Amino acid sequence: MINITFCKSKSLYLKAEGHAEFSMGDDIVCAAVSTLIETLASYLSQKSNGNGSITLGKGYAEIIDGDLQDLPFFEIILHGLTLISSEYPKNVKITIL
């Protein structure tokens, strides 16, 4: 199960941890989630103003962004993650704080 947490307060926070365990070897659910999160991470790192942090690892991602103007980018990625979660609820869980 991939557990995704999103929080908007004084900063934007997105964390994903775990593995989808949809299929061994060619896990399309994990690939889809990873692609969305890595897209956000790549975009934010290119426009970085030093106001956050990005940590990516195997089965783990954490993105913290202090620029609330980046909220639309988080929302579009979260929308995609929500679509995946609705199709694969046994593999992806999203918590919004």
Side-chain angles (χ1 to χ4, degrees), residues 21-92:
E21 299 175 356
F22 177 75
S23 174
M24 297 302 279
D26 58 347
D27 194 330
I28 61 170
V29 177
C30 187
V33 169
S34 295
T35 298
L36 287 172
I37 291 175
E38 288 180 24
T39 298
L40 178 63
S42 175
Y43 176 77
L44 293 174
S45 68
Q46 289 178 10
K47 71 171 279 306
S48 176
N49 56 11
N51 221 8
S53 67
I54 298 170
T55 305
L56 300 175
K58 191 169 186 152
Y60 183 83
E62 183 179 61
I63 301 172
I64 302 169
D65 185 355
D67 187 353
L68 294 177
Q69 291 184 351
D70 289 335
L71 178 61
F73 306 114
F74 279 79
E75 289 176 330
I76 195 90
I77 295 300
L78 192 59
H79 179 74
L81 294 169
T82 301
L83 291 173
I84 296 167
S85 177
S86 67
E87 286 292 318
Y88 302 96
K90 294 179 181 177
N91 306 95
V92 180

